Every structure is written in structure tokens, then in C-alpha cells.
Amino acid sequence: MTVTIIGIGLIGGSLGITLKESGFATRIIGVDARPENLHKAIRRRLIDEEMSLPEGVAAADVIILATPVDAMLRLLPELLDRVGGKQTVLDVGSTKELLLDAIDEHPNRGRFVACHPMAGTEFSGPEAAVPKLFAGKTCVVIDGERSDLDALDTARRLFTSARMSFSYLGRKEHDLHCAYVSHISHIASFALALTVLEKERDEQRIFELASSGFGSTVRLAKSSPDMWVPIFRQNRDHVLDVLDELIEQLAKFRTQLIKRDFDGFYERIEKANQIEKILK
Amino acid sequence: MTVTIIGIGLIGGSLGITLKESGFATRIIGVDARPENLHKAIRRRLIDEEMSLPEGVAAADVIILATPVDAMLRLLPELLDRVGGKQTVLDVGSTKELLLDAIDEHPNRGRFVACHPMAGTEFSGPEAAVPKLFAGKTCVVIDGERSDLDALDTARRLFTSARMSFSYLGRKEHDLHCAYVSHISHIASFALALTVLEKERDEQRIFELASSGFGSTVRLAKSSPDMWVPIFRQNRDHVLDVLDELIEQLAKFRTQLIKRDFDGFYERIEKANQIEKILK
């Protein structure tokens, strides 16, 4: 199969290597608004060749949209205008409600499969692409019943070749869940980094004292604003709900410290420990 | 040297293996209020033998206090009552101000070296002990000028054998820095876990959707309340200052979302990204 990837960053680039290695793709075409991304991607062999968007779409069996989510909102209707009845379009974005609302009535809606491979790192760009990013992780398929059966089947075979398993959600449900398990973690991490940067002027000290605990909690604070601001924009309402809850939980710890209610503090840590049962 | 470790948990147990392997200790004696910890520690060869506290102190060249910090506050004066002029006592606790205030006037103050090896994991107990926990990390020595030179030298040789480097701080400075780089990370992680547990009743879903990002941010939420509540109790004032700042940073993100000020949101993420320059 010929696969055209639009947006050769961490996810797009990693899919390029992975699908070539798995044998799903015989030819990977890259499309990107930034020529330097395409040059790096060719040098790193993430893609076989570069094309313009119209050429890349015309040449592909499968088109993967892997740009930031604001660009997806602009590009997806155009892609669906261009594809024929045997081509499959899929995306890999972190927010779905606005994207799917925008193409509900498109005559080629069935050719599109909304996908969210739950995999990533705090790094971005083609230089961050790695082959085993997806193995063992979950790919969420959103509103799968709105896709043509053969398109859905192609998307499933593609992510199966990347060794992912599947989960199925509606668009609202997906965006809410992601606000909880992904988007809020990033905001917490950004806020923690800002807290420390604000108060700790002595950077050498932070570095020396930052045991691995701090490092893992602020790891996500290195994440790119180009990727994340469009996600927070599109998922604003759900993220606000979850953020209110997080601030409330922190305010409760604050009140317990002020009142020296350490028994209550203990109970709430015990409750938080239950996250262990859920996460590996 | 004979080393007696009081409190055979993650840190005490890991020191047991490490100091035996490095050759610093020829004999490791374990003291613990919980007999099952001693049994596990002997079975896992973290210690050579168990003793009562008075016996263990009498037999040792070096005594390491590795209990939760509330027990340290109770035990340290007793240890200093018992030791002679050639023995060295050190602790490995995460808070120092109250502990050091309590022994400032003790006639054997010089035999004590306040240490904080900045190493740990979210797990606890002797079953969590591992040999390479300390290698490459920093050990902070607090108010080192108050220790006898030979005691300080012994403590430095001990942690050098565990392949740690050193940093030197005053007690207030230490507790404030730790509030920033360690204690607040734990509170943020507990709060995030509670946020998700509160709202997401469908545990299977969290598990499926939790990509590695969420996992690393809530990793610390598995940490033991027996260890952490005494730390928050002793470092309450500094932790409250930092917690206020964290809540303030989150509230700013909230206001930016409400006002749809995504340019401001972008700028603050860019600022948070600077943490990358500090952390490896």
C-alpha cells in the first residue's frame, strides 16, 4: 500500500518508520508545510519521498492526517473533497468533537476513520520519531459506525500492524476521557514547572535536588505549545471541568495543611494510592 | 565497619545492600519496630542480622536513622544519648529544621551528620529495596559545620561508596528547596490521582486510555502516607507557600481558558518548557 502522511512530526514520523517496518506500507509519501521537516524526514528515512498535498493525496491508498489539531480542522474537509471511493483517510488527533462535527454532512464522510493512537512522548518533530512508539498501546477509534466498513478495516489493519489494540468511543466521550487522562496531566505539569521556575532562581540547585520524582512529574512540561494549545482550544470545556476539580483537590490539601488535619491528609493519600490498582 | 540501620524500608534496605556491595560495611545490623520488615530484610539479604535498638547502637561504628521523619524526631535524641565519641550517627530524612532544632544543644551533637540522599521511588518497604538506587544522585549534607570533622568524613565516605556526589545547605534552605522540588510534586500527583478517581468511575477506561504521560505524572501518587504525612507535617509552612503558588499557576491557566486567551496560554507553556534546560 502507498501511505501518505500529512504532518511529519513525532506521530507522523513514527508511523512512517513503523508502517514500513511492519510491511503495511510499501511506499511512504510525506507532506508537510515546513520543508525542513521533510528534509529531516527523508534524511532519517521516515518517508520515501515528499509531495505537495494534492499530489500526495492522489497517489495514496491511505492518507494519515498527523498535523496539530487546528490544522486538521482546516485540512480534513479538503482531503475528503479530493478522495475517491477506494481511498481511506484517518487522523491521529487528540480531540474529536469539533473535527467530526465539521464533516458530519460531507458526502465522503464514510471514507474517514477518526483514530487516536494513545502514544507519545514529551518531544516533538521528526527528530523525535521512533519505531516502537505504538507497540502494546491502545488506539481509540471514534464514531467508527460512521465510517465505511472497508475504510474501518484498513485503519484497523494499519494500527494492528503497529501492534496496537483497540477501544471504541463516541466523540464527546473520547474528548472527556482525554481531558482526564491526558490533557489535565499536561496542565498540571506545566503549572508545576512554572511554580518551580518562578520561585527557584537558582537553577543549579533545582538540578541538583531534583530527584527522579520531580523529573517524572514535570516531564510533560517539555511538551510543545504548537501541539497543545490547539488541543486545549478545541477541548476547552471538558478541560475546564477537570481543571476545576484538580484545583479543588489541591485546595482541600491546602485547607488540611492550614488546619493541621493530618489524619484527613493521610486518608486522602490512601485514597490516591488506589490509582496503583488501575495503572501498571 | 559495622553499620546499624534503624528502619529497614526502601532507603534503609537499599543502603544495606549498597554498603555491603561497596565494601564500606563488613556487617549490617537491622533495627525495626516491625518484625516482619526484619524477616523480609534478612531473607532478601539486605541486613546480616537483627538487634534491638540499644544492642544495635552499642555494636555499631555507624548508625543510620532511616525511619519516617516523625520517628526520627523521637529517636535521634535517644541515639545521641547512647553513642560514644567514636561513633557516627546520620539520618536520611526529607525534612531537617525540626530535627536539627531538637538536638542543637545536645552534648553529642557533633557525632551527628544530617544527610538527605536525593534518591527514591514511589514504592516503600524492604521489598522495594534495590542496590543501585543512589548511584549518580546527590546527597545533601545539612549544617555540616555543626558535625565533628571525623563524623562528617565518615558520612562522606559512606555516601561516596554508594557513588553519590554532595551538596551543602543550611536547614531552612534545605527544607524550602525540598518543598519545591520534591514535596509539591507529590501533592500534585496525589491531587491528580484523586481528580481522576473522583470523576472516572470506569476504571478499565482509565487504564486503556492512560498513555505514558498520565502514568508518569501520577507515578508519585502511589507513595506511602506513612512516609509522607510526617514530612508534610514537619515542612508544613514551606509546603503551604509552594502549594499556594501551584494553585495560583493553575488558576491562571483556568482564567486563560475561560477568557479564551490562547496566546497567553501559549506564552506560559513556552515559559514552562524552560524546565527542559534544567532537567536532563
PDB file of all heavy atoms in Angstrom, chain A residues 4-36:
ATOM      1  N   THR A   4       0.237   8.081   2.465  1.00  0.00           N
ATOM      2  CA  THR A   4       0.678   9.485   2.515  1.00  0.00           C
ATOM      3  C   THR A   4       0.426  10.016   3.924  1.00  0.00           C
ATOM      4  O   THR A   4      -0.695   9.901   4.443  1.00  0.00           O
ATOM      5  CB  THR A   4      -0.077  10.328   1.474  1.00  0.00           C
ATOM      6  OG1 THR A   4       0.373   9.920   0.179  1.00  0.00           O
ATOM      7  CG2 THR A   4       0.209  11.812   1.671  1.00  0.00           C
ATOM      8  N   ILE A   5       1.486  10.564   4.526  1.00  0.00           N
ATOM      9  CA  ILE A   5       1.360  11.112   5.877  1.00  0.00           C
ATOM     10  C   ILE A   5       1.460  12.629   5.792  1.00  0.00           C
ATOM     11  O   ILE A   5       2.441  13.155   5.253  1.00  0.00           O
ATOM     12  CB  ILE A   5       2.461  10.545   6.800  1.00  0.00           C
ATOM     13  CG1 ILE A   5       2.346   9.006   6.855  1.00  0.00           C
ATOM     14  CG2 ILE A   5       2.355  11.148   8.195  1.00  0.00           C
ATOM     15  CD1 ILE A   5       3.474   8.322   7.620  1.00  0.00           C
ATOM     16  N   ILE A   6       0.430  13.299   6.295  1.00  0.00           N
ATOM     17  CA  ILE A   6       0.419  14.768   6.268  1.00  0.00           C
ATOM     18  C   ILE A   6       0.786  15.263   7.659  1.00  0.00           C
ATOM     19  O   ILE A   6       0.035  15.051   8.621  1.00  0.00           O
ATOM     20  CB  ILE A   6      -0.964  15.289   5.838  1.00  0.00           C
ATOM     21  CG1 ILE A   6      -1.311  14.729   4.453  1.00  0.00           C
ATOM     22  CG2 ILE A   6      -0.994  16.816   5.845  1.00  0.00           C
ATOM     23  CD1 ILE A   6      -2.740  14.978   4.019  1.00  0.00           C
ATOM     24  N   GLY A   7       1.961  15.878   7.794  1.00  0.00           N
ATOM     25  CA  GLY A   7       2.455  16.308   9.109  1.00  0.00           C
ATOM     26  C   GLY A   7       3.457  15.293   9.627  1.00  0.00           C
ATOM     27  O   GLY A   7       3.084  14.271  10.203  1.00  0.00           O
ATOM     28  N   ILE A   8       4.757  15.567   9.372  1.00  0.00           N
ATOM     29  CA  ILE A   8       5.781  14.571   9.720  1.00  0.00           C
ATOM     30  C   ILE A   8       6.444  14.986  11.026  1.00  0.00           C
ATOM     31  O   ILE A   8       7.587  15.463  11.054  1.00  0.00           O
ATOM     32  CB  ILE A   8       6.825  14.445   8.591  1.00  0.00           C
ATOM     33  CG1 ILE A   8       6.149  14.227   7.242  1.00  0.00           C
ATOM     34  CG2 ILE A   8       7.796  13.290   8.884  1.00  0.00           C
ATOM     35  CD1 ILE A   8       5.413  12.908   7.143  1.00  0.00           C
ATOM     36  N   GLY A   9       5.714  14.855  12.124  1.00  0.00           N
ATOM     37  CA  GLY A   9       6.277  15.157  13.443  1.00  0.00           C
ATOM     38  C   GLY A   9       6.551  13.865  14.190  1.00  0.00           C
ATOM     39  O   GLY A   9       6.866  12.843  13.582  1.00  0.00           O
ATOM     40  N   LEU A  10       6.409  13.936  15.525  1.00  0.00           N
ATOM     41  CA  LEU A  10       6.642  12.750  16.356  1.00  0.00           C
ATOM     42  C   LEU A  10       5.752  11.583  15.921  1.00  0.00           C
ATOM     43  O   LEU A  10       6.232  10.469  15.682  1.00  0.00           O
ATOM     44  CB  LEU A  10       6.351  13.093  17.825  1.00  0.00           C
ATOM     45  CG  LEU A  10       6.250  11.898  18.780  1.00  0.00           C
ATOM     46  CD1 LEU A  10       7.601  11.233  18.969  1.00  0.00           C
ATOM     47  CD2 LEU A  10       5.662  12.318  20.121  1.00  0.00           C
ATOM     48  N   ILE A  11       4.437  11.831  15.798  1.00  0.00           N
ATOM     49  CA  ILE A  11       3.498  10.740  15.496  1.00  0.00           C
ATOM     50  C   ILE A  11       3.563  10.358  14.020  1.00  0.00           C
ATOM     51  O   ILE A  11       3.709   9.180  13.678  1.00  0.00           O
ATOM     52  CB  ILE A  11       2.054  11.140  15.892  1.00  0.00           C
ATOM     53  CG1 ILE A  11       1.970  11.434  17.402  1.00  0.00           C
ATOM     54  CG2 ILE A  11       1.065  10.045  15.496  1.00  0.00           C
ATOM     55  CD1 ILE A  11       2.163  10.244  18.294  1.00  0.00           C
ATOM     56  N   GLY A  12       3.487  11.364  13.139  1.00  0.00           N
ATOM     57  CA  GLY A  12       3.543  11.079  11.709  1.00  0.00           C
ATOM     58  C   GLY A  12       4.838  10.372  11.328  1.00  0.00           C
ATOM     59  O   GLY A  12       4.834   9.375  10.596  1.00  0.00           O
ATOM     60  N   GLY A  13       5.956  10.875  11.834  1.00  0.00           N
ATOM     61  CA  GLY A  13       7.256  10.281  11.519  1.00  0.00           C
ATOM     62  C   GLY A  13       7.391   8.871  12.083  1.00  0.00           C
ATOM     63  O   GLY A  13       7.899   7.966  11.420  1.00  0.00           O
ATOM     64  N   SER A  14       6.905   8.680  13.314  1.00  0.00           N
ATOM     65  CA  SER A  14       6.995   7.346  13.925  1.00  0.00           C
ATOM     66  C   SER A  14       6.128   6.352  13.162  1.00  0.00           C
ATOM     67  O   SER A  14       6.503   5.183  12.988  1.00  0.00           O
ATOM     68  CB  SER A  14       6.553   7.396  15.395  1.00  0.00           C
ATOM     69  OG  SER A  14       7.405   8.230  16.145  1.00  0.00           O
ATOM     70  N   LEU A  15       4.953   6.819  12.681  1.00  0.00           N
ATOM     71  CA  LEU A  15       4.111   5.931  11.870  1.00  0.00           C
ATOM     72  C   LEU A  15       4.813   5.567  10.564  1.00  0.00           C
ATOM     73  O   LEU A  15       4.708   4.424  10.102  1.00  0.00           O
ATOM     74  CB  LEU A  15       2.758   6.587  11.572  1.00  0.00           C
ATOM     75  CG  LEU A  15       1.680   6.400  12.635  1.00  0.00           C
ATOM     76  CD1 LEU A  15       0.439   7.228  12.290  1.00  0.00           C
ATOM     77  CD2 LEU A  15       1.297   4.911  12.770  1.00  0.00           C
ATOM     78  N   GLY A  16       5.516   6.545   9.979  1.00  0.00           N
ATOM     79  CA  GLY A  16       6.255   6.266   8.744  1.00  0.00           C
ATOM     80  C   GLY A  16       7.208   5.090   8.916  1.00  0.00           C
ATOM     81  O   GLY A  16       7.159   4.120   8.155  1.00  0.00           O
ATOM     82  N   ILE A  17       8.067   5.159   9.947  1.00  0.00           N
ATOM     83  CA  ILE A  17       9.017   4.054  10.162  1.00  0.00           C
ATOM     84  C   ILE A  17       8.276   2.766  10.469  1.00  0.00           C
ATOM     85  O   ILE A  17       8.593   1.703   9.926  1.00  0.00           O
ATOM     86  CB  ILE A  17       9.943   4.271  11.401  1.00  0.00           C
ATOM     87  CG1 ILE A  17      10.337   5.736  11.564  1.00  0.00           C
ATOM     88  CG2 ILE A  17      11.173   3.378  11.334  1.00  0.00           C
ATOM     89  CD1 ILE A  17      11.167   5.976  12.825  1.00  0.00           C
ATOM     90  N   THR A  18       7.289   2.858  11.365  1.00  0.00           N
ATOM     91  CA  THR A  18       6.603   1.659  11.849  1.00  0.00           C
ATOM     92  C   THR A  18       5.887   0.922  10.723  1.00  0.00           C
ATOM     93  O   THR A  18       5.964  -0.312  10.615  1.00  0.00           O
ATOM     94  CB  THR A  18       5.586   2.055  12.945  1.00  0.00           C
ATOM     95  OG1 THR A  18       6.277   2.769  13.966  1.00  0.00           O
ATOM     96  CG2 THR A  18       4.918   0.824  13.553  1.00  0.00           C
ATOM     97  N   LEU A  19       5.183   1.679   9.862  1.00  0.00           N
ATOM     98  CA  LEU A  19       4.379   1.025   8.816  1.00  0.00           C
ATOM     99  C   LEU A  19       5.264   0.442   7.715  1.00  0.00           C
ATOM    100  O   LEU A  19       4.890  -0.538   7.062  1.00  0.00           O
ATOM    101  CB  LEU A  19       3.372   2.015   8.225  1.00  0.00           C
ATOM    102  CG  LEU A  19       2.342   2.550   9.235  1.00  0.00           C
ATOM    103  CD1 LEU A  19       1.409   3.548   8.567  1.00  0.00           C
ATOM    104  CD2 LEU A  19       1.539   1.391   9.856  1.00  0.00           C
ATOM    105  N   LYS A  20       6.425   1.034   7.523  1.00  0.00           N
ATOM    106  CA  LYS A  20       7.367   0.480   6.553  1.00  0.00           C
ATOM    107  C   LYS A  20       7.957  -0.813   7.106  1.00  0.00           C
ATOM    108  O   LYS A  20       8.022  -1.830   6.413  1.00  0.00           O
ATOM    109  CB  LYS A  20       8.472   1.513   6.279  1.00  0.00           C
ATOM    110  CG  LYS A  20       9.224   1.336   4.964  1.00  0.00           C
ATOM    111  CD  LYS A  20       8.350   1.641   3.761  1.00  0.00           C
ATOM    112  CE  LYS A  20       9.081   1.405   2.450  1.00  0.00           C
ATOM    113  NZ  LYS A  20      10.099   2.458   2.183  1.00  0.00           N
ATOM    114  N   GLU A  21       8.360  -0.756   8.376  1.00  0.00           N
ATOM    115  CA  GLU A  21       8.950  -1.948   9.012  1.00  0.00           C
ATOM    116  C   GLU A  21       7.965  -3.105   9.106  1.00  0.00           C
ATOM    117  O   GLU A  21       8.345  -4.266   8.976  1.00  0.00           O
ATOM    118  CB  GLU A  21       9.441  -1.607  10.434  1.00  0.00           C
ATOM    119  CG  GLU A  21      10.776  -0.894  10.447  1.00  0.00           C
ATOM    120  CD  GLU A  21      11.367  -0.798  11.857  1.00  0.00           C
ATOM    121  OE1 GLU A  21      10.793  -1.370  12.810  1.00  0.00           O
ATOM    122  OE2 GLU A  21      12.408  -0.136  11.980  1.00  0.00           O
ATOM    123  N   SER A  22       6.685  -2.777   9.374  1.00  0.00           N
ATOM    124  CA  SER A  22       5.688  -3.850   9.555  1.00  0.00           C
ATOM    125  C   SER A  22       5.279  -4.463   8.218  1.00  0.00           C
ATOM    126  O   SER A  22       4.624  -5.497   8.182  1.00  0.00           O
ATOM    127  CB  SER A  22       4.443  -3.295  10.251  1.00  0.00           C
ATOM    128  OG  SER A  22       3.676  -2.527   9.344  1.00  0.00           O
ATOM    129  N   GLY A  23       5.620  -3.769   7.131  1.00  0.00           N
ATOM    130  CA  GLY A  23       5.215  -4.277   5.821  1.00  0.00           C
ATOM    131  C   GLY A  23       3.850  -3.774   5.368  1.00  0.00           C
ATOM    132  O   GLY A  23       3.422  -4.036   4.241  1.00  0.00           O
ATOM    133  N   PHE A  24       3.145  -3.024   6.240  1.00  0.00           N
ATOM    134  CA  PHE A  24       1.831  -2.500   5.841  1.00  0.00           C
ATOM    135  C   PHE A  24       1.974  -1.556   4.651  1.00  0.00           C
ATOM    136  O   PHE A  24       1.167  -1.578   3.732  1.00  0.00           O
ATOM    137  CB  PHE A  24       1.164  -1.763   7.016  1.00  0.00           C
ATOM    138  CG  PHE A  24      -0.196  -1.227   6.681  1.00  0.00           C
ATOM    139  CD1 PHE A  24      -1.332  -1.996   6.887  1.00  0.00           C
ATOM    140  CD2 PHE A  24      -0.350   0.057   6.138  1.00  0.00           C
ATOM    141  CE1 PHE A  24      -2.594  -1.504   6.566  1.00  0.00           C
ATOM    142  CE2 PHE A  24      -1.607   0.550   5.808  1.00  0.00           C
ATOM    143  CZ  PHE A  24      -2.731  -0.233   6.026  1.00  0.00           C
ATOM    144  N   ALA A  25       3.007  -0.714   4.688  1.00  0.00           N
ATOM    145  CA  ALA A  25       3.233   0.252   3.608  1.00  0.00           C
ATOM    146  C   ALA A  25       4.424  -0.168   2.767  1.00  0.00           C
ATOM    147  O   ALA A  25       5.463  -0.550   3.300  1.00  0.00           O
ATOM    148  CB  ALA A  25       3.479   1.643   4.197  1.00  0.00           C
ATOM    149  N   THR A  26       4.254  -0.102   1.451  1.00  0.00           N
ATOM    150  CA  THR A  26       5.398  -0.333   0.563  1.00  0.00           C
ATOM    151  C   THR A  26       6.074   0.994   0.223  1.00  0.00           C
ATOM    152  O   THR A  26       7.234   1.034  -0.159  1.00  0.00           O
ATOM    153  CB  THR A  26       4.938  -1.013  -0.739  1.00  0.00           C
ATOM    154  OG1 THR A  26       3.789  -0.302  -1.216  1.00  0.00           O
ATOM    155  CG2 THR A  26       4.570  -2.469  -0.474  1.00  0.00           C
ATOM    156  N   ARG A  27       5.292   2.093   0.360  1.00  0.00           N
ATOM    157  CA  ARG A  27       5.809   3.409  -0.043  1.00  0.00           C
ATOM    158  C   ARG A  27       5.181   4.442   0.880  1.00  0.00           C
ATOM    159  O   ARG A  27       3.971   4.448   1.100  1.00  0.00           O
ATOM    160  CB  ARG A  27       5.365   3.648  -1.485  1.00  0.00           C
ATOM    161  CG  ARG A  27       5.801   4.956  -2.116  1.00  0.00           C
ATOM    162  CD  ARG A  27       5.165   5.013  -3.515  1.00  0.00           C
ATOM    163  NE  ARG A  27       5.418   6.251  -4.220  1.00  0.00           N
ATOM    164  CZ  ARG A  27       4.588   6.752  -5.133  1.00  0.00           C
ATOM    165  NH1 ARG A  27       3.480   6.100  -5.469  1.00  0.00           N
ATOM    166  NH2 ARG A  27       4.881   7.892  -5.732  1.00  0.00           N
ATOM    167  N   ILE A  28       6.051   5.291   1.451  1.00  0.00           N
ATOM    168  CA  ILE A  28       5.560   6.344   2.350  1.00  0.00           C
ATOM    169  C   ILE A  28       5.845   7.703   1.709  1.00  0.00           C
ATOM    170  O   ILE A  28       7.003   8.042   1.440  1.00  0.00           O
ATOM    171  CB  ILE A  28       6.252   6.298   3.729  1.00  0.00           C
ATOM    172  CG1 ILE A  28       6.104   4.927   4.405  1.00  0.00           C
ATOM    173  CG2 ILE A  28       5.761   7.439   4.622  1.00  0.00           C
ATOM    174  CD1 ILE A  28       4.876   4.736   5.246  1.00  0.00           C
ATOM    175  N   ILE A  29       4.768   8.467   1.481  1.00  0.00           N
ATOM    176  CA  ILE A  29       4.907   9.817   0.937  1.00  0.00           C
ATOM    177  C   ILE A  29       4.682  10.815   2.077  1.00  0.00           C
ATOM    178  O   ILE A  29       3.747  10.654   2.864  1.00  0.00           O
ATOM    179  CB  ILE A  29       3.859  10.070  -0.173  1.00  0.00           C
ATOM    180  CG1 ILE A  29       4.092   9.099  -1.345  1.00  0.00           C
ATOM    181  CG2 ILE A  29       3.891  11.530  -0.644  1.00  0.00           C
ATOM    182  CD1 ILE A  29       2.943   9.032  -2.327  1.00  0.00           C
ATOM    183  N   GLY A  30       5.552  11.814   2.177  1.00  0.00           N
ATOM    184  CA  GLY A  30       5.398  12.826   3.220  1.00  0.00           C
ATOM    185  C   GLY A  30       4.921  14.153   2.669  1.00  0.00           C
ATOM    186  O   GLY A  30       5.353  14.587   1.598  1.00  0.00           O
ATOM    187  N   VAL A  31       3.997  14.771   3.412  1.00  0.00           N
ATOM    188  CA  VAL A  31       3.516  16.116   3.075  1.00  0.00           C
ATOM    189  C   VAL A  31       3.668  16.956   4.340  1.00  0.00           C
ATOM    190  O   VAL A  31       3.272  16.493   5.424  1.00  0.00           O
ATOM    191  CB  VAL A  31       2.022  16.095   2.655  1.00  0.00           C
ATOM    192  CG1 VAL A  31       1.489  17.509   2.459  1.00  0.00           C
ATOM    193  CG2 VAL A  31       1.817  15.234   1.413  1.00  0.00           C
ATOM    194  N   ASP A  32       4.271  18.128   4.229  1.00  0.00           N
ATOM    195  CA  ASP A  32       4.419  18.955   5.423  1.00  0.00           C
ATOM    196  C   ASP A  32       4.554  20.407   5.004  1.00  0.00           C
ATOM    197  O   ASP A  32       5.205  20.705   4.001  1.00  0.00           O
ATOM    198  CB  ASP A  32       5.658  18.516   6.231  1.00  0.00           C
ATOM    199  CG  ASP A  32       5.595  18.956   7.683  1.00  0.00           C
ATOM    200  OD1 ASP A  32       5.577  20.191   7.944  1.00  0.00           O
ATOM    201  OD2 ASP A  32       5.549  18.080   8.572  1.00  0.00           O
ATOM    202  N   ALA A  33       3.952  21.312   5.750  1.00  0.00           N
ATOM    203  CA  ALA A  33       4.030  22.739   5.433  1.00  0.00           C
ATOM    204  C   ALA A  33       5.453  23.255   5.622  1.00  0.00           C
ATOM    205  O   ALA A  33       5.825  24.273   5.043  1.00  0.00           O
ATOM    206  CB  ALA A  33       3.056  23.519   6.327  1.00  0.00           C
ATOM    207  N   ARG A  34       6.252  22.558   6.423  1.00  0.00           N
ATOM    208  CA  ARG A  34       7.614  23.036   6.698  1.00  0.00           C
ATOM    209  C   ARG A  34       8.628  22.174   5.952  1.00  0.00           C
ATOM    210  O   ARG A  34       8.837  21.005   6.286  1.00  0.00           O
ATOM    211  CB  ARG A  34       7.876  23.002   8.202  1.00  0.00           C
ATOM    212  CG  ARG A  34       6.881  23.915   8.950  1.00  0.00           C
ATOM    213  CD  ARG A  34       6.969  23.746  10.439  1.00  0.00           C
ATOM    214  NE  ARG A  34       8.268  24.136  10.969  1.00  0.00           N
ATOM    215  CZ  ARG A  34       8.611  24.028  12.245  1.00  0.00           C
ATOM    216  NH1 ARG A  34       7.747  23.531  13.121  1.00  0.00           N
ATOM    217  NH2 ARG A  34       9.797  24.406  12.644  1.00  0.00           N
ATOM    218  N   PRO A  35       9.272  22.760   4.934  1.00  0.00           N
ATOM    219  CA  PRO A  35      10.229  21.997   4.122  1.00  0.00           C
ATOM    220  C   PRO A  35      11.318  21.345   4.975  1.00  0.00           C
ATOM    221  O   PRO A  35      11.746  20.225   4.675  1.00  0.00           O
ATOM    222  CB  PRO A  35      10.830  23.046   3.184  1.00  0.00           C
ATOM    223  CG  PRO A  35       9.864  24.181   3.162  1.00  0.00           C
ATOM    224  CD  PRO A  35       9.166  24.170   4.477  1.00  0.00           C
ATOM    225  N   GLU A  36      11.763  22.000   6.072  1.00  0.00           N
ATOM    226  CA  GLU A  36      12.842  21.408   6.876  1.00  0.00           C
ATOM    227  C   GLU A  36      12.397  20.106   7.531  1.00  0.00           C
ATOM    228  O   GLU A  36      13.217  19.197   7.718  1.00  0.00           O
ATOM    229  CB  GLU A  36      13.401  22.408   7.911  1.00  0.00           C
ATOM    230  CG  GLU A  36      12.478  22.789   9.056  1.00  0.00           C
ATOM    231  CD  GLU A  36      11.635  24.034   8.743  1.00  0.00           C
ATOM    232  OE1 GLU A  36      11.335  24.267   7.551  1.00  0.00           O
ATOM    233  OE2 GLU A  36      11.263  24.758   9.699  1.00  0.00           O
TER     234      GLU A  36
END
